[in-house]
Amino acid sequence: MTTSDDAVTVLTVEAPAVAQRRARWRMALPVGLLAVPMLAFLTYFFFYPAFILLFSSIQTQDSRGIIGRPFTLAHYARLINVELYARVLWTTLRISIITSALATVLAYPVALVMVRSRPMVTRIITLIVIAPLIVSVVVRGYGWQLVLQNGPKGMLNWILMTLHIVDAPISVLYTEVAVVIGSLHVFFPMMVLPLASALGKIDPNLEDAARMLGAPWWKVFLRVTLPLSMPGFVAGFTLVFSLTAGSFVIPAILGGASAVMLGNLIEQQIFVVYDWPFGAAIAVVLVGLVLAVNGFSMWLLEGRRLRRPE
Amino acid sequence: MKSSEVRLDRLSKEYGRMVAVDEVSLAIEPGHMVALLGPSGCGKTTCLRMIAGLIRPTSGDVFVNDKRMTDVPVHRRNVGMLFQNYALFPHLTVEENIAFGLEMRGISKADAARKVSEALNLVQLSKFGKRYPAQLSGGQQQRVALGRALVIEPAMLLLDEPLGALDKGLRESMQVELRALQRRLGLTTVMVTHDQDEALTMADKIVVMRDGKLEQVGSATEIYQRPTSKFVAQFIGASNLFEGPIEQRNGNGAVIRVSPELSLQVDQLPPTTSDVMVSIRPEAIVVERAGQTPAAQRANSVTARVDQAVYRGFVSHYYLKTPSGGQIIVFEQNQSQQAGLRYAVGEEVVARWEAPSNHIIARH
Ligand SMILES: Nc1ncnc2c1ncn2[C@@H]1O[C@H](COP(=O)(O)OP(=O)(O)OP(=O)(O)O)[C@@H](O)[C@H]1O
Ligand SMILES: [Mg+2]
């Protein structure tokens, strides 16, 4: 008797929940079906090639150019052991970190002004920040080439010499500096936008409260604004780092021979040297590097190590 | 903690052509709690933020103990403030939140730790020091904010609708708690509220604002019993407002003719010779069954019909209609033994009140 009573109670309690779950499924099903084409496309055209790439990187190429057994890690060893290649790896890391760091420093004031101004000003600044995205990276690369050109006819040199800041032309083009400048220009919006979004979520009362508790403006920034904008900083830094590390056009146009990055090395191995397994190994290292940075930032954000404003 | 005297001298703030605060002058005695009360958009927050230094006045000055504060930057003013949304630092623990102001003052770690634990005791949150604000209830969060504001031993305390986000029961107990603490510390306090009950319960002095200007300043009793304008009479509590010409002057008073069936005997001399406006609080009116009153046609008395009756626990609200169409609101306290409403809708009654309940107000 008691058992059947219990069963009845359980049923009546459970029934609505089950019905609700079913209803949710009925809704989810068509949406799920709509997602299938894109998921199938990505699986075939992204994950499958990525797997091939990974697979090629541990295989051997024979004298006729055919890739096959035996499996080997020699390509990875070569990337690290051959000084020429290792230097490219370090250059890539260095340029990416410097670009991301500079972008951060330059983006904070822009993002702050963007968030704290009147709506009209905010709109104008947003436009200024994202407008360059309309122009192709290649065009912007060549633009910078003209500006940074070595020799007295380069725009920068001409200005510096006319203003008597330097006596002889300086060499910027085809150095890491040129690549950093170009990358900064191209990837700056990727830093400003997440930062602005994070800063916009900070309650302005928090800064007022800090001021009233005796904090001058720079302490307000260091103790309140900066820590609370960490999610935006991490997102922006990760984006700019990933994009810079993976870039090809900017170092190709502005870096020349002295600032070769991993992307350019891959192109060289695939199209010039025809050493596909080695090219694949470099690509895997590049992807691994970017994934590691992304994974680290996810860990920072999700593990509540950075507290988000409520 | 020494109490400070705060004075506002013709404080104004303009946003473009819009005047948010218009020449507000006010003296606040040391240790007093003043409530800025008024409808939404009347400039209360703007006024408070100018006192805090968060908004720079267009003209006018704030003085604390006769020292001009207008050019002193916010972080040097030593003013405590509670915000409606608490504004606790979400990335800091309760202890770190409270220690923030001490840290900014360069107080040593040991002293700060002692003061923080004293402050936690004061706001009864000793067990919660290691928690983050998101792990506290609204009431607890506001207590942390109070501890954080008090630990710096501020010259004054500013509250911007500090209890607005709390539910009714908690709000009322916090009102009493906050007021007791403020009294004990003798802390000069300015509070913004649009809740008249809050102002009446907590403040020594109520400042009613309207359209950026001061409308009336006075104690709770003064504001409630002697409103100087129609606006105040209607904004604070409910009021029956009658208007009419002076029929007769007698001694220190006059008779005002409101309608053929209603005349008012007032104990004040009308300030004008034209029409006079009189306010009567709903609880000052007594309702009786028609026919029970012998002198139904005397002043301050009118026969009316019950139009609506609302039972609200310890009071009942009656909305009466006079024969000429005027409305009278009456609040009657219910007796504990009583079953419910004493008068039914449609019933004929007599409403009457004493002459001192008639209060002449300047017309607006
Ligand atoms: N930054 C600003 N720019 C323009 N107008 C403003 C600004 N801040 C406030 N105002 C205007 O000033 C007036 C007073 O605002 P204030 O915030 O002081 O009102 P309040 O009395 O606190 O109202 P509430 O009870 O709704 O909080 C309002 O009409 C508001 O629209
Ligand atoms: Mg306000």
Side-chain angles (χ1 to χ4, degrees):
Chain A
M1 194 62 208
T2 330
T3 339
S4 71
D5 265 8
D6 281 356
V8 170
T9 331
V10 169
L11 267 181
T12 41
V13 171
E14 287 267 313
V18 172
Q20 223 172 39
R21 222 174 299 150
R22 282 219 192 98
R24 211 173 296 149
W25 259 111
R26 234 171 285 142
M27 282 256 297
L29 211 59
V31 179
L33 281 177
L34 286 175
V36 166
M38 201 56 208
L39 290 178
F41 178 87
L42 286 178
T43 308
Y44 190 77
F45 288 98
F46 179 74
F47 288 103
Y48 175 62
F51 175 74
I52 302 231
L53 186 81
L54 188 65
F55 200 53
S56 319
S57 77
I58 51 169
Q59 285 182 300
T60 327
Q61 194 170 24
D62 65 18
S63 49
R64 289 165 298 159
I66 295 178
I67 299 169
R69 310 258 156 107
F71 293 122
T72 173
L73 289 175
H75 310 301
Y76 291 98
R78 194 161 143 222
L79 178 62
I80 293 163
N81 291 334
V82 177
E83 210 221 309
L84 181 71
Y85 300 137
R87 214 172 50 218
V88 174
L89 180 60
W90 289 123
T91 307
T92 305
L93 269 176
R94 194 166 48 236
I95 289 179
S96 307
I97 289 174
I98 292 175
T99 304
S100 317
L102 282 178
T104 309
V105 174
L106 295 173
Y108 256 104
V110 176
L112 272 172
V113 174
M114 199 162 138
V115 168
R116 300 290 148 81
S117 305
R118 283 175 292 138
M120 194 60 200
V121 179
T122 301
R123 242 171 282 153
I124 292 172
I125 295 177
T126 313
L127 196 71
I128 293 174
V129 168
I130 62 177
L133 291 177
I134 303 167
V135 182
S136 134
V137 179
V138 178
V139 174
R140 279 188 283 172
Y142 282 115
W144 277 110
Q145 212 174 45
L146 290 179
V147 174
L148 300 178
Q149 210 169 77
N150 298 330
K153 279 199 217 129
M155 202 167 127
L156 180 69
N157 274 326
W158 181 81
I159 292 174
L160 290 178
M161 286 165 75
T162 311
L163 296 176
H164 295 289
I165 296 171
V166 294
D167 298 327
I170 54 166
S171 301
V172 178
L173 192 59
Y174 308 128
T175 65
E176 283 181 27
V177 176
V179 179
V180 168
I181 293 176
S183 307
L184 256 184
H185 182 212
V186 175
F187 301 128
F188 191 63
M190 310 304 164
M191 190 78 218
V192 174
L193 297 180
L195 258 191
S197 149
L199 288 170
K201 283 190 200 126
I202 301 177
D203 174 8
N205 279 343
L206 292 179
E207 288 168 359
D208 286 345
R211 286 205 285 159
M212 298 211 57
L213 289 167
W217 68 267
W218 57 274
K219 272 194 183 162
V220 175
F221 180 78
L222 287 180
R223 292 297 313 272
V224 179
T225 317
L226 190 65
L228 291 177
S229 65
M230 270 302 145
F233 160 72
V234 170
F237 195 94
T238 310
L239 267 174
V240 174
F241 180 90
S242 308
L243 291 168
T244 311
S247 65
F248 165 74
V249 174
I250 289 292
I253 297 175
L254 300 176
S258 63
V260 178
M261 290 174 69
L262 285 178
N264 311 93
L265 192 58
I266 296 169
E267 192 242 7
Q268 222 177 57
Q269 293 305 316
I270 303 285
F271 290 113
V272 183
V273 186
Y274 292 116
D275 188 347
W276 285 23
F278 186 46
I282 305 168
V284 169
V285 168
L286 179 55
V287 171
L289 197 68
V290 169
L291 279 181
V293 170
N294 276 276
F296 181 67
S297 70
M298 292 276 222
W299 176 77
L300 278 181
L301 289 181
E302 266 175 23
R304 291 246 202 134
R305 277 154 201 91
L306 306 172
R307 253 152 220 292
R308 261 166 268 210
E310 293 302 309
Chain B
M1 221 177 279
K2 66 165 177 37
S3 306
S4 346
E5 188 236 349
V6 179
R7 193 156 50 81
L8 314 185
D9 183 30
R10 314 211 319 168
L11 206 55
S12 298
K13 180 68 192 179
E14 290 163 29
Y15 289 111
R17 233 172 286 140
M18 137 109 209
V19 184
V21 173
D22 195 3
E23 303 229 321
V24 166
S25 295
L26 187 67
I28 303 168
E29 287 170 49
H32 265 205
M33 180 179 248
V34 165
L36 301 182
L37 179 64
S40 189
C42 69
K44 308 180 293 288
T45 299
T46 308
C47 209
L48 196 76
R49 289 184 157 254
M50 284 196 286
I51 302 175
L54 294 169
I55 296 179
R56 201 184 159 77
T58 312
S59 64
D61 289 297
V62 176
F63 294 91
V64 175
N65 294 330
D66 286 322
K67 183 175 181 292
R68 186 168 171 274
M69 300 304 281
T70 319
D71 295 322
V72 180
V74 184
H75 67 275
R76 298 246 175 78
R77 286 197 186 193
N78 202 34
V79 171
M81 180 145 170
L82 293 199
F83 297 81
Q84 182 171 4
N85 62 356
Y86 321 129
L88 294 176
F89 306 124
H91 57 303
L92 302 180
T93 63
V94 168
E95 278 174 357
E96 290 165 341
N97 263 282
I98 295 179
F100 190 93
L102 301 172
E103 190 189 317
M104 293 305 135
R105 281 161 178 73
I107 288 171
S108 77
K109 278 252 157 54
D111 282 353
R114 187 175 43 78
K115 288 187 180 203
V116 167
S117 84
E118 279 170 17
L120 280 171
N121 271 331
L122 191 68
V123 295
Q124 299 162 25
L125 283 174
S126 303
K127 287 195 204 109
F128 298 89
K130 298 279 185 268
R131 293 219 199 162
Y132 284 93
Q135 299 166 322
L136 299 175
S137 73
Q140 290 167 337
Q141 289 187 39
Q142 195 56 297
R143 284 224 189 85
V144 177
L146 182 62
R148 185 179 69 174
L150 293 179
V151 82
I152 61 171
E153 299 180 14
M156 66 173 138
L157 189 61
L158 304 178
L159 317 171
D160 192 354
E161 309 215 16
L163 311 174
L166 303 177
D167 62 50
K168 194 165 180 288
L170 186 56
R171 189 164 67 226
E172 280 166 6
S173 70
M174 284 282 288
Q175 282 169 2
V176 175
E177 206 177 302
L178 196 56
R179 172 61 162 158
L181 193 61
Q182 179 269 336
R183 272 229 178 97
R184 188 147 58 81
L185 300 175
L187 193 56
T188 311
T189 302
V190 183
M191 173 178 73
V192 158
T193 179
H194 60 236
D195 177 351
Q196 44 163 308
D197 287 335
E198 193 162 281
L200 292 170
T201 347
M202 294 179 74
D204 293 298
K205 204 194 244 180
I206 295 175
V207 175
V208 183
M209 287 184 70
R210 179 194 189 186
D211 295 338
K213 292 195 185 68
L214 294 192
E215 184 80 7
Q216 188 174 354
V217 181
S219 69
T221 344
E222 279 165 0
I223 297 271
Y224 189 76
Q225 293 179 355
R226 293 188 291 282
T228 53
S229 68
K230 181 181 170 182
F231 175 81
V232 176
Q234 286 180 323
F235 189 75
I236 315 280
S239 257
N240 290 293
L241 291 172
F242 296 112
E243 197 174 2
I246 301 162
E247 193 174 64
Q248 184 193 333
R249 286 174 187 271
N250 44 18
N252 277 336
V255 174
I256 315 290
R257 173 57 59 187
V258 178
S259 64
E261 74 268 12
L262 176 60
S263 64
L264 305 173
Q265 168 68 51
V266 292
D267 287 350
Q268 300 159 275
L269 276 175
T272 53
T273 50
S274 58
D275 280 11
V276 174
M277 185 170 273
V278 174
S279 134
I280 303 141
R281 292 294 182 187
E283 66 275 15
I285 302 176
V286 179
V287 180
E288 285 160 342
R289 287 219 157 66
Q292 285 184 346
T293 332
Q297 285 313 308
R298 289 221 311 257
N300 306 333
S301 160
V302 66
T303 308
R305 199 170 283 284
V306 178
D307 192 38
Q308 269 185 65
V310 183
Y311 180 76
R312 302 199 35 179
F314 75 103
V315 287
S316 293
H317 293 189
Y318 296 101
Y319 296 82
L320 312 179
K321 269 251 151 54
T322 64
S324 59
Q327 194 188 49
I328 300 176
I329 309 168
V330 182
F331 296 165
E332 188 185 74
Q333 196 177 332
N334 293 324
Q335 306 303 315
S336 51
Q337 303 295 317
Q338 196 190 316
L341 290 163
R342 283 212 301 151
Y343 306 100
V345 171
E347 202 169 331
E348 183 130 303
V349 294
V350 171
R352 61 175 181 81
W353 55 95
E354 303 300 321
S357 301
N358 288 323
H359 173 73
I360 295 182
I361 56 179
R363 289 174 53 202
H364 271 245

